[in-house]
Amino acid sequence: MQTIEVLDIKQFMQLLFQTNALDSYEFISASIRTDMTYNLDGHINKEFFTPDELEQMNTNESLYLFWHTAKEKVFQLIKGKKTPSQLKIVLKLSEDGTCSLLESTHSTLSTMDIDGMFLNILFQHDKLTIVCGISYKIFTLDKNLENEVTTSISSLLKGASITCQ
């Protein structure tokens, strides 16, 4: 796991909620502390949707909603005059995104070796950090893929002119 501290918090929040930069990630969960604490679970409630809606959402393979579907609801909980005292959002790179990253980095690992590539976004005490991590199904000492995940997120932030360290 590697941590990125985001210094331009407002710009990052705009990237997160008002662009499609992270829309290919699955929404795993969120915890929002405002006047009360909201805990959100990103699992798809398939009984809520018609088969046609599920097909349009392209969620056949996934257990979770994609970020592009969930972000507006999360945003509604945090918008207002007061900043939440804490916000934690967990996103997971989609299966297609994981395959693409493995191919582009020429990794010796396969999707069968990886349970997920995660972004843990945490805002508290006026600081925002992103923890990039991979959950492996196997034991490996190779950290190259973790470095690539962190580099890819750092590049995304730099491309959006967001200062981080």
Side-chain angles (χ1 to χ4, degrees), residues 8-134:
D8 295 329
I9 296 170
K10 186 174 181 175
Q11 284 181 282
F12 176 78
M13 290 302 187
Q14 288 176 337
L15 176 85
L16 182 63
F17 289 106
Q18 297 176 356
T19 73
N20 62 359
L22 297 172
D23 283 1
S24 63
Y25 282 76
E26 296 174 351
F27 171 65
I28 305 301
S29 65
S31 176
I32 303 162
R33 191 173 300 153
T34 55
D35 56 337
M36 66 178 88
T37 300
Y38 299 90
N39 291 306
L40 306 174
D41 179 355
H43 279 94
I44 298 171
N45 178 10
K46 293 191 177 188
E47 293 84 35
F48 181 76
F49 299 101
T50 66
D52 288 342
E53 289 172 324
L54 285 171
E55 188 175 319
Q56 285 178 337
M57 290 170 51
N58 196 21
T59 58
N60 299 336
E61 309 277 323
S62 178
L63 299 174
Y64 299 95
L65 290 170
F66 280 94
W67 178 240
H68 67 84
T69 304
K71 69 182 174 184
E72 181 60 34
K73 291 174 184 150
V74 175
F75 183 71
Q76 291 300 318
L77 292 173
I78 66 167
K79 77 176 186 175
K81 293 181 181 178
K82 294 182 83 174
T83 303
S85 57
Q86 182 179 4
L87 169 67
K88 180 180 182 184
I89 298 173
V90 179
L91 302 176
K92 177 183 172 189
L93 189 60
S94 68
E95 187 77 22
D96 289 344
T98 300
C99 288
S100 295
L101 186 62
L102 289 171
E103 287 175 18
S104 69
T105 60
H106 306 292
S107 177
T108 58
L109 298 169
S110 74
T111 55
M112 300 300 287
D113 301 327
I114 297 170
D115 192 35
M117 297 182 187
F118 295 91
L119 298 180
N120 294 286
I121 302 163
L122 178 62
F123 173 78
Q124 66 182 3
H125 308 299
D126 296 322
K127 286 179 65 176
L128 189 132
T129 56
I130 302 171
V131 179
C132 305
I134 300 176

